[in-house]
Amino acid sequence: MTTRRRLRVRVGGVVQGVGFRPFVYTTAAALGLTGSVRNDSSGALVDVEGDAADVEAFLVRLRDHPPPLAVIESLDTEELPVAGGTGFVIADTSRGDGGRTLTSPDVAMCADCAAEQRDPRDRRFRHAFINCTSCGPRFTIISSLPYDRRATTMAAFDMCEACASEYHDPDDRRFHAQPVCCPDCGPTLTYRDRAGAATTGEQALRCARRLLGEGGILAVKGIGGYHLACDAADERAVTELRARKRRGDKPFAVMAPDLATAHNLVEIDAPSARLLTGLQRPIVLMPRRDGAPVADAVAPHNPDLGILLAYTPLHTLLFGLPGDEPGPTALVMTSGNLAGAPICFTDSDALERLSHLVDGWLMHDREILVPCDDSVMRIVALGRRGAVEVPIRRSRGYAPLPVALPLPVPPSLAVGADLKNTLAVADGRYAWLSQHIGDMDNLATLYAFDSAQRHLRELTSVAPEVVIADAHPLYRSTEWARRAASSRPVRTVQHHHAHIAAVMAEHGLDGSTQVLGFAFDGTGYGPDGAVWGGEVLLANYKGCQRLAHLKYVPLAGGDVSVLRPYRMALAHLRSAGIAWDPALPPVTACPRAERDVLAGQLETGLGCAPTSSMGRLFDAVSSLAGVRHVVAYEAQAAIELEGLSRGIDCGPRTYAFAVNASDTTAVIDPAPVLHAIVDDLFAGVPARVIGARFHRAVADLVVDLACAHADASRPVALSGGVFQNALLLELTLNGLHDRGIDALTHRTVPPNDGGIALGQLLVGNAS
């Protein structure tokens, strides 16, 4: 005798736009269960009835074997009276009872769709918009939830009879795949040249591929916006793109059609390969191979290349399928904008703003609702201890997946910082971080910020009761918070406290114990009005104590000294009591007239702000070693110093900072390090060895301070943009591990200012 049972199951998590309802349907049908599944505002609602053992098996499959893109956060069951019935159906979407669902990010084309696109017998052969329940656009085409076709930009395309049949067939891979389409009913490709002439379909694709093959620059409409593309091996084309985009020396990302091609460009270890080929398909930073067929202008003076694999059907067609004429084997693929401006994502904007940058446009008529740049990751190897993933930019493929919070918070909006801005909303135990927005230094970025916060609030149904911002009084994000807050309170959070709080939140710390936090970055506003950035903090969410900091030196002229590291080198030399010997590289690099003015500023303090920035010290050492005196992008001097220093034997000689203890805050004095560097310079020691010794000294500093202040109940946390430095992070983590300390580092949000908003949420709501 069997026992019949009926359950209502509320499923919370990422369950819309990921093939979850078809999965529920087929699972229930396979077990002979009756009932229904629908999307609602809290996720998915399932009614299921049948033999009790089959119902239990259904719950196990639901929890343990969901579709690849689904994230099951909760399963709440309610017993219902047995009602009988036959069959299982996908019911109409319900608005539910005011709960909340989680939106799926955009993900790469799956292997099944890639195989169909290459199959001449398949009706989607060479289809530029092929997708299914396991892949394709989600976040960037959704206007509202619950997730249904009518709430996406695919609503403008009526399904043909064949697609509609697949959509309604429970045995089909496209069963209830909202963006489903084919060449007969989907979006249309269009190529436009600079004269305005247009072609469509396969001819558009041929024109675009021909342009790339001839050394032209192409604007390509992707999932989250336009890219600028050119042949990565063509020195003239890459140099021209760099000039038109006003890119300076900042590296370009390179797209490869497949992993085999990527292996010809960079050294790929197993963790990096998993990242490259995963659903998210981020840009992954890896060492460039000797003799890689890539133009020098792609990443000048940089040993790494940022590689991503083709992740949309259109990308694969650009590279060409079997039988197509040969084209470039790798493409520069950089965001479609001028340097510093938001990415173009509407057709009209791309035609206007990119008109002086490109020679042609490859467009389509599926609208993008949300701009979303490519994500950037790197792997830091830790020897026998494995490797860690370090997010550099969290955007496409990851946003807007939520971050679980260790403590509940009221409905809140955190506006982040002014560089590498991301914002966040939160309610209860979840925070949703936006896609990468960029540097808040122009009106276009402020507009993009405002649009992003409105869309994120719409998708999450969070109505913020409090707004949280950086304590810097002149940050544009903070100014926006004060303007937009209306009657809501605006709470400010010290920059480096937010950095450490973000690491704590990632690792689920509830704040009941303090952490020893190292916040090393370029710039952050300190409560004393100084520019902080080399901070050792004893912190929880409620507050922080400054245990130690890098010795203040004058930052003369603000951004002028940031852009000219030789000025920071001269400031540090003067602070360390080292004469400006004409034989020293930064002295030679600084024009005599400027040197005289700078000497006066440092003597009188005119136009100077004190800074404890570790980022600026890296700049200074880069210039002192003769590596980089003037920068064209953020952290260029430090990046080039790191690249030069990797794999170099320091020899028996070491550098060491002095730590001058006090009753309140210890001061970390770099003077002994600077004296040792100058001695090495005059002894003819190569810059690469000086750089390696300096990286070792900073890592040793962290280890020594951690051993002095940490204990079993006080974890060590590392944050700030300086810890994007792979060499420094590797040396630091290995050194701490050797002393029995396993530090907390970023895995979900970037260590740079792109992770600040997460920390703001916890600190701003601490009581």
Side-chain angles (χ1 to χ4, degrees):
M1 181 176 179
T2 60
T3 302
R4 198 164 179 84
R5 187 183 183 194
R6 184 176 184 86
L7 281 183
R8 173 160 294 168
V9 187
R10 291 191 176 276
V11 188
V14 181
V15 293
Q16 297 192 19
V18 296
F20 188 74
R21 285 182 294 171
F23 160 75
V24 170
Y25 179 100
T26 54
T27 301
L31 292 169
L33 303 175
T34 65
S36 65
V37 58
R38 73 181 75 222
N39 283 343
D40 73 0
S41 57
S42 62
L45 186 64
V46 184
D47 283 357
V48 62
E49 180 177 336
D51 179 80
D54 291 332
V55 170
E56 188 62 33
F58 172 82
L59 291 176
V60 170
R61 294 189 194 182
L62 213 63
R63 182 183 61 246
D64 297 341
H65 303 287
L69 301 184
V71 179
I72 306 299
E73 297 286 350
S74 62
L75 280 177
D76 298 320
T77 61
E78 175 189 356
E79 295 282 349
L80 298 176
V82 173
T86 59
F88 195 94
V89 298
I90 292 181
D92 290 337
T93 293
S94 164
R95 290 304 302 182
D97 60 357
R100 178 175 289 116
T101 191
L102 310 179
T103 307
S104 171
D106 306 304
V107 292
M109 180 173 59
C110 69
D112 288 333
C113 284
E116 290 175 348
Q117 189 191 45
R118 290 174 172 269
D119 185 356
R121 299 164 298 179
D122 194 280
R123 69 188 192 89
R124 289 188 175 87
F125 177 54
R126 301 184 66 86
H127 183 36
F129 305 96
I130 191 169
N131 69 86
C132 69
T133 55
S134 297
C135 68
R138 299 290 193 274
F139 174 54
T140 53
I141 65 169
I142 299 172
S143 61
S144 63
L145 293 174
Y147 176 62
D148 282 309
R149 192 178 179 99
R150 61 179 177 270
T152 74
T153 58
M154 286 301 294
F157 302 93
D158 293 329
M159 283 185 280
C160 67
E161 184 176 343
C163 285
S165 176
E166 293 170 332
Y167 181 86
H168 291 103
D169 181 358
D171 294 325
D172 195 278
R173 200 174 82 253
R174 294 184 172 87
F175 185 43
H176 277 247
Q178 304 306 331
V180 64
C181 63
C182 73
D184 294 330
C185 64
T188 300
L189 282 178
T190 300
Y191 174 82
R192 291 182 56 142
D193 63 21
R194 298 190 69 168
T199 57
T200 61
E202 279 291 335
Q203 182 60 29
L205 189 61
R206 283 192 288 271
C207 289
R209 296 186 73 242
R210 186 180 308 121
L211 177 70
L212 291 170
E214 293 173 351
I217 299 169
L218 178 71
V220 186
K221 188 176 183 181
I223 285 182
Y226 276 82
H227 285 103
L228 305 179
C230 71
D231 184 348
D234 188 328
E235 192 74 46
R236 187 204 61 78
V238 178
T239 301
E240 180 65 18
L241 174 57
R242 187 171 291 284
R244 293 185 191 180
K245 191 175 163 71
R246 302 174 194 167
R247 181 78 170 188
D249 286 339
K250 190 173 182 179
F252 285 131
V254 174
M255 178 176 282
D258 49 45
L259 188 61
T261 303
H263 271 290
N264 295 328
L265 306 176
V266 288
E267 302 284 351
I268 305 177
D269 56 23
S272 296
R274 285 193 294 271
L275 266 180
L276 276 173
T277 58
L279 297 172
Q280 296 84 8
R281 297 287 173 92
I283 298 168
V284 182
L285 304 180
M286 293 168 288
R288 184 198 316 231
R289 276 192 183 277
D290 291 339
V294 172
D296 290 340
V298 167
H301 317 293
N302 196 312
D304 292 335
L305 288 177
I307 301 291
L308 74 165
L309 300 187
Y311 58 86
T312 73
L314 183 54
H315 292 150
T316 63
L317 294 173
L318 267 183
F319 283 109
L321 299 186
D324 286 337
E325 292 183 8
T329 57
L331 295 172
V332 164
M333 197 66 73
T334 187
S335 56
N337 54 7
L338 275 174
I343 190 172
C344 291
F345 67 100
T346 67
D347 298 339
S348 59
D349 200 29
L351 288 170
E352 179 181 349
R353 287 173 52 203
L354 304 181
S355 60
H356 300 296
L357 277 69
V358 303
D359 303 306
W361 292 257
L362 185 58
M363 316 166 69
H364 57 76
D365 52 351
R366 183 179 67 204
E367 186 181 359
I368 298 170
L369 289 181
V370 184
C372 199
D373 283 282
D374 295 317
S375 295
V376 182
M377 303 285 289
R378 82 180 313 161
I379 294 291
V380 174
L382 299 178
R384 291 189 302 274
R385 297 174 52 223
V388 296
E389 294 181 7
V390 181
I392 306 298
R393 185 167 72 196
R394 183 183 187 268
S395 201
R396 177 190 53 76
Y398 300 91
L401 285 176
V403 177
L405 298 178
L407 296 168
V409 299
S412 307
L413 167 65
V415 300
D418 267 19
L419 295 179
K420 299 180 176 65
N421 180 272
T422 62
L423 59 94
V425 297
D427 188 7
R429 299 295 287 261
Y430 284 116
W432 292 266
L433 273 73
S434 73
Q435 70 277 25
H436 169 80
I437 295 169
D439 296 348
M440 306 279 281
D441 53 5
N442 57 56
L443 286 175
T445 309
L446 286 169
Y447 176 79
F449 173 93
D450 193 57
S451 296
Q453 65 89 19
R454 281 188 277 107
H455 186 255
L456 198 58
R457 288 166 54 186
E458 170 69 25
L459 287 187
T460 60
S461 301
V462 173
E465 298 171 0
V466 60
V467 182
I468 308 166
D470 193 278
H472 197 304
L474 299 181
Y475 267 8
R476 292 171 180 84
S477 54
T478 304
E479 293 173 358
W480 181 95
R482 298 191 187 283
R483 289 196 310 271
S486 186
S487 60
R488 295 171 295 182
V490 176
R491 300 170 186 165
T492 58
V493 175
Q494 199 278 325
H495 190 88
H496 301 94
H497 190 189
H499 268 307
I500 301 305
V503 187
M504 294 172 62
E506 276 194 50
H507 289 268
L509 301 188
D510 64 7
S512 58
T513 60
Q514 293 178 310
V515 304
L516 181 66
F518 292 84
F520 289 175
D521 64 1
T523 299
Y525 182 77
D528 59 357
V531 180
W532 287 17
E535 313 307 314
V536 185
L537 307 174
L538 191 60
N540 57 19
Y541 299 128
K542 294 181 180 180
C544 67
Q545 175 189 351
R546 196 185 195 195
L547 294 182
H549 67 84
L550 197 63
K551 181 182 177 181
Y552 285 140
V553 297
L555 179 68
D559 285 347
V560 175
S561 288
V562 175
L563 296 173
R564 303 175 194 172
Y566 61 74
R567 293 172 64 94
M568 286 310 307
L570 295 178
H572 269 286
L573 288 173
R574 185 181 184 88
S575 178
I578 300 173
W580 289 358
D581 191 306
L584 292 174
V587 179
T588 303
C590 185
R592 179 58 185 266
E594 182 180 352
R595 199 186 321 152
D596 291 342
V597 172
L598 179 61
Q601 286 185 281
L602 298 178
E603 178 70 29
T604 64
L606 182 65
C608 295
T611 182
S612 60
S613 169
M614 184 63 77
R616 300 288 80 81
L617 179 60
F618 268 83
D619 288 349
V621 172
S622 182
S623 176
L624 187 56
V627 176
R628 171 60 60 177
H629 301 300
V630 178
V631 301
Y633 63 91
E634 185 189 11
Q636 181 180 5
I639 288 170
E640 293 183 8
L641 180 67
E642 178 207 349
L644 199 66
S645 306
R646 286 186 205 158
I648 302 301
D649 184 357
C650 294
R653 180 168 164 76
T654 60
Y655 304 156
F657 290 82
V659 179
N660 302 318
S662 73
D663 294 336
T664 54
T665 304
V667 175
I668 302 163
D669 190 353
V673 172
L674 297 168
H675 278 278
I677 290 173
V678 170
D679 289 345
D680 276 355
L681 282 168
F682 287 135
V685 175
R688 62 183 181 275
V689 176
I690 291 173
R693 290 173 177 171
F694 175 69
H695 280 79
R696 171 65 69 184
V698 177
D700 289 345
L701 170 70
V702 175
V703 172
D704 291 344
L705 288 171
C707 290
H709 293 283
D711 57 42
S713 64
R714 186 181 291 166
V716 172
L718 310 178
S719 189
V722 169
F723 285 111
Q724 292 175 166
N725 182 316
L727 175 59
L728 176 65
L729 188 58
E730 175 189 347
L731 291 171
T732 302
L733 291 178
N734 284 333
L736 289 169
H737 180 77
D738 290 344
R739 304 290 285 272
I741 301 171
D742 289 320
L744 307 178
T745 61
H746 288 280
R747 301 289 190 275
T748 303
V749 302
N752 60 47
D753 287 2
I756 282 280
L758 178 61
Q760 289 175 343
L761 288 169
L762 274 299
V763 176
N765 283 303
S767 59

